[in-house]
Amino acid sequence: DVSPWPLYLKPPGASSATPLAAGLGDGVLYYGREVTHYRERLTAAEFCSFWFFFYVPEGFKGPLD
């Protein structure tokens, strides 16, 4: 069951974003500070839930904002 609402990913240096149509229960890993990512706007009749996981190396000493 593939979502009709793709996630667009555009890595550094790419000329355009590539749509990724994930299925229910799929996961996607990408470095969000370097990879441009977006989705088109949902219509009023649709909904979606996301879980985001953020991490830094154990020895990280900088700000997290």
Side-chain angles (χ1 to χ4, degrees), residues 15-60:
S15 60
S16 62
T18 300
L20 175 69
L24 294 174
D26 285 351
V28 179
L29 297 175
Y30 58 92
Y31 192 54
R33 294 186 67 161
E34 292 185 8
V35 176
T36 302
H37 53 283
Y38 63 92
R39 290 183 188 250
E40 301 294 335
R41 184 180 297 253
L42 278 173
T43 65
E46 298 174 326
F47 69 94
C48 187
S49 297
F50 292 99
W51 287 28
F52 290 95
F53 297 94
F54 300 92
Y55 70 94
V56 295
E58 185 176 1
F60 182 77

